[in-house]
Amino acid sequence: MLRKLIQLGVVAALLAVGFVLWTPNEAQAAERGVISGLDSGDTLNVRDRADLDQSTVIGKLSNGDVVHISRETGIFYEISFKRETAYVSKYYVDKQSGSRGDTSIVVNGEPIAFPVAPRNENNQLLVPYRAISEALGINITWNQQQKTVTAEGAGKTVLFEMTPRRSYVDGSEVSVNPRPNIVSGTTMVPLRFFAETFEADVDYVHSENRVFIESDGQSVTPGEDVLSDSDFDGNLTAVVNTNGLNVRDSGSTRGRSVGTLQRGDVVMVEGFSNEWAKVRYGSNQTGFVHTYYLQMKHFNNDLRILGNPQWQRTNNRDMLNLYKIGGTTVDVSERADGFTITTNATDIDAPSSSERAIKRVRVETSGSTKRIHVDVADGYHYVYRETFGSVFLTFLPPGLEGKRIVIDAGHGAKDPGARANGLVEKELALDISLEAERILEAAGADVIMTRTTDEFLELTQRADIANDEFADAFISVHLNAFNGTAKGSETFWHGASSGPNSEKLAHAIQDAMVAKLGTHYRRVAEQNFSVIRRSSMPSTLIEFAFLDNAEDAAIVKRPGFTRDAADAIKIGLEDFYHVR
């Protein structure tokens, strides 16, 4: 059994910032693009070749989907789609210009992964506020209605206004260049100003294209290594399993390409930097490649690793990253009180049961398959997410304090939703959502709103907000209409992500709605609604009542209904997070 991992360079960032969920196509450097301009409900064809007549449609994309562009060819962009080369019409792709995706930012020795790439304005960087705040240990609050960010730390308070774009330190307006902005739905703040205001040292190393920031950071504990120097002895080799694999000068997609490997090439593996391998190839050349594209062998035995656990801990969450090395695949089976990861890894470095968020860990081997069974500690919840190179888990202690709750007011603007008996769904949903925001924030939750005015958002945008914010729970607020006789409250969930906990959340809010409002208990059911299918955390879509039913309409028109409905959401969340 191999026991330790050579770690070259710094450990990967372990921050709750929304890892970039795309496959690195190492054959080419890629630009980021976002699908836009489609009519509501329409999709964009993904083709196997750059030809309208002679191509086969191999997939569909929707507004808001992110693609990574290799090159332009005629009216098409070449992209990576499910690890294959594919083509889409360039007229529906919004290139994300002005970004500096090749600039890496390292805080206290830890590189940060951003949900939206840092953006260059006037030779200064704007970065997503939540990611940099958590890396620096700064308390932040986002006010969706006023479009402001408040940050507190080191005895200072910084306020950024998005409209107009103004900045304040301890109540006094200051001139900031560049000014804060909202880019692709993500709030961006000026990196150097923000870091230095909170007494961090900022240093840009031009030769490495890296920004290094040093401050009093949070606790990040590297896991036990899995391979050591003595385990190699020139006996760890790998065969490349793809063509045009870039060899880089560092273990990152931001690294400069220094060579190319082809399918069947044999390399010597000298060590690892998380899911990247340092290899020796050709005429004694060295560089880094992503291990997904390697079939590794140690003394002629296949080697695939799941491990090198990295922890980040704060007062209201513990976060764990497990790296997938050498073509390791995983499949997760979730329970409300734990989960099982099934993997083809030959070597596993499982998390320890001594962690406060974990009650028990058990590793089981059956032939070439291994399973990690994890039971979470009493009262804790978890959110499982998977990226191309790692498994990422968030463990949440009891209570509403610090929980990131996305409240999604259904419909809006041109989409009124249900209408009956003088009631309009989009208006009621917004009123309930705004009241829920108020009372949840008063209870200590961090509430993110998909809309705070009468505006229209695509279904994909609503789920993307929750995913980009790395939310802990997603609640979509609706009211119903059918045939005039159907009545009562109903709540829906989907099993795609966090299925057992989504069902548990749906039942908690359903019970609270019926008890608080006195409505008929209609049902809790699994349904294939886009917003809850696409969200990667416990998610539920709630229907408070039927507007076209006389009995339900009377309840909705009752004084205090908005407050009672919002309170039902809070009570359901308190039950879910073991407050009561």
Side-chain angles (χ1 to χ4, degrees):
M1 172 66 71
L2 303 168
R3 289 301 307 151
K4 290 206 121 206
L5 173 68
I6 291 182
Q7 291 179 300
L8 301 167
V10 295
V11 242
L14 215 345
L15 303 169
V17 295
F19 280 72
V20 182
L21 302 181
W22 61 281
T23 301
N25 178 3
E26 283 304 296
Q28 305 245 3
E31 290 186 83
R32 187 177 187 273
V34 177
I35 305 302
S36 65
L38 298 171
D39 291 335
S40 179
D42 284 354
T43 55
L44 178 64
N45 287 333
V46 181
R47 301 176 181 275
D48 65 349
R49 64 181 66 183
D51 189 308
L52 289 174
D53 298 322
Q54 302 298 319
S55 61
T56 300
V57 175
I58 59 174
K60 303 280 187 179
L61 295 169
S62 302
N63 281 332
D65 286 345
V66 174
V67 296
H68 296 271
I69 304 163
S70 301
R71 64 188 180 96
E72 182 177 339
T73 172
I75 64 170
F76 294 93
Y77 282 139
E78 181 180 287
I79 66 169
S80 174
F81 182 76
K82 296 183 178 178
R83 306 192 187 108
E84 299 291 340
T85 299
Y87 300 87
V88 295
S89 169
K90 67 182 183 181
Y91 301 115
Y92 294 96
V93 182
D94 178 20
K95 274 191 176 181
Q96 302 298 285
S97 60
S99 67
R100 288 183 60 174
D102 57 346
T103 301
S104 60
I105 297 170
V106 180
V107 177
N108 295 329
E110 305 295 333
I112 304 179
F114 289 106
V116 174
R119 186 178 184 87
N120 182 21
E121 285 192 14
N122 304 323
N123 291 319
Q124 297 289 331
L125 285 176
L126 287 168
V127 296
Y129 80 100
R130 187 178 296 279
I132 191 63
S133 298
E134 291 183 345
L136 292 170
I138 303 300
N139 296 319
I140 47 97
T141 303
W142 164 248
N143 187 310
Q144 174 74 13
Q145 189 167 6
Q146 298 179 8
K147 298 290 191 295
T148 61
V149 173
T150 302
E152 296 177 310
K156 297 179 182 178
T157 299
V158 175
L159 174 69
F160 295 114
E161 293 181 346
M162 300 299 124
T163 52
R165 295 166 65 187
R166 295 189 297 210
S167 305
Y168 302 83
V169 176
D170 293 333
S172 299
E173 186 171 359
V174 294
S175 176
V176 175
N177 179 31
R179 292 181 293 173
N181 200 2
I182 297 177
V183 178
S184 300
T186 297
T187 303
M188 311 281 278
V189 297
L191 174 63
R192 181 176 290 276
F193 167 80
F194 189 81
E196 290 183 344
T197 296
F198 291 108
E199 302 179 0
D201 295 324
V202 181
D203 184 28
Y204 174 57
V205 180
H206 188 271
S207 61
E208 299 181 21
N209 204 16
R210 288 188 181 186
V211 178
F212 291 90
I213 301 174
E214 293 294 328
S215 72
D216 293 332
Q218 301 178 45
S219 168
V220 178
T221 305
E224 183 181 344
D225 294 341
V226 210
L227 296 172
S228 69
D229 296 355
S230 60
D231 286 322
F232 293 109
D233 297 329
N235 290 302
L236 185 54
T237 61
V239 178
V240 177
N241 61 19
T242 189
N243 286 319
L245 177 62
N246 277 339
V247 182
R248 300 187 179 274
D249 65 355
S250 63
S252 166
T253 53
R254 298 185 180 97
R256 181 172 56 88
S257 178
V258 295
T260 306
L261 295 170
Q262 303 301 327
R263 185 187 300 274
D265 287 349
V266 178
V267 299
M268 300 296 298
V269 179
E270 297 188 340
F272 297 94
S273 177
N274 300 320
E275 70 268 37
W276 292 75
K278 183 179 181 182
V279 299
R280 187 170 297 276
Y281 66 102
S283 55
N284 211 31
Q285 299 162 281
T286 61
F288 291 82
V289 296
H290 199 286
T291 62
Y292 179 84
Y293 301 101
L294 299 180
Q295 181 181 348
M296 300 193 304
K297 287 185 178 293
H298 183 255
F299 290 105
N300 294 319
N301 295 315
D302 289 341
L303 176 63
R304 295 178 297 273
I305 301 169
L306 177 63
N308 192 27
Q310 307 286 330
W311 283 94
Q312 181 196 12
R313 303 171 182 86
T314 67
N315 289 335
N316 54 45
R317 66 191 60 237
D318 292 355
M319 292 154 286
L320 169 65
N321 207 27
L322 293 173
Y323 290 99
K324 299 185 290 185
I325 299 170
T328 295
T329 61
V330 299
D331 184 38
V332 65
S333 173
E334 298 187 62
R335 312 180 305 277
D337 60 351
F339 54 91
T340 296
I341 296 174
T342 301
T343 178
N344 69 341
T346 58
D347 285 73
I348 290 178
D349 190 7
S352 170
S353 58
S354 64
E355 295 292 335
R356 65 182 180 180
I358 295 177
K359 178 189 293 186
R360 182 174 61 178
V361 177
R362 180 169 56 89
V363 178
E364 168 195 346
T365 300
S366 177
S368 61
T369 299
K370 289 183 170 61
R371 294 179 177 86
I372 306 174
H373 303 279
V374 177
D375 296 334
V376 299
D378 293 340
Y380 271 75
H381 281 76
Y382 71 92
V383 181
Y384 176 96
R385 295 174 173 93
E386 188 180 336
T387 73
F388 179 67
S390 66
V391 170
F392 190 82
L393 290 147
T394 303
F395 297 93
L396 303 162
L400 279 178
E401 182 73 30
K403 298 299 186 293
R404 294 177 190 158
I405 311 298
V406 171
I407 302 294
D408 171 43
H411 306 280
K414 65 182 181 180
D415 177 14
R419 290 182 288 185
N421 290 311
L423 301 167
V424 181
E425 181 181 4
K426 69 172 184 176
E427 298 170 359
L428 292 163
L430 182 57
D431 290 344
I432 294 168
S433 297
L434 291 171
E435 181 65 10
E437 177 190 27
R438 186 186 68 80
I439 63 176
L440 286 170
E441 286 185 341
D446 179 9
V447 181
I448 299 107
M449 303 287 287
T450 60
R451 69 180 182 99
T452 58
T453 61
D454 185 20
E455 60 181 307
F456 176 77
L457 287 87
E458 298 286 354
L459 298 178
T460 54
Q461 290 177 282
R462 299 169 187 266
D464 286 347
I465 288 171
N467 293 332
D468 290 346
E469 290 286 350
F470 244 50
D472 302 323
F474 174 87
I475 299 169
S476 191
V477 177
H478 292 262
L479 295 98
N480 232 330
F482 184 47
N483 58 7
T485 59
K487 66 177 183 178
S489 299
E490 53 187 355
T491 310
F492 302 104
W493 59 280
H494 192 275
S497 297
S498 299
N501 276 315
S502 290
E503 183 179 12
K504 186 177 178 181
L505 176 62
H507 277 283
I509 294 180
Q510 174 76 1
D511 291 344
M513 278 197 300
V514 172
K516 191 72 178 179
L517 301 174
T519 49
H520 168 66
Y521 192 117
R522 183 172 171 82
R523 60 174 170 164
V524 173
E526 183 174 12
Q527 290 289 343
N528 190 31
F529 293 130
S530 173
V531 289
I532 53 177
R533 183 183 69 246
R534 295 173 65 97
S535 300
S536 63
M537 70 292 302
S539 308
T540 184
L541 185 149
I542 56 180
E543 301 272 10
F544 279 96
F546 283 79
L547 301 184
D548 60 346
N549 177 271
E551 183 179 337
D552 278 8
I555 293 175
V556 174
K557 291 179 179 180
R558 189 172 61 202
F561 169 78
T562 298
R563 173 57 193 253
D564 288 343
D567 204 37
I569 294 175
K570 175 176 175 282
I571 293 169
L573 283 167
E574 287 177 333
D575 181 35
F576 180 69
Y577 286 119
H578 306 294
V579 176
R580 297 172 181 239

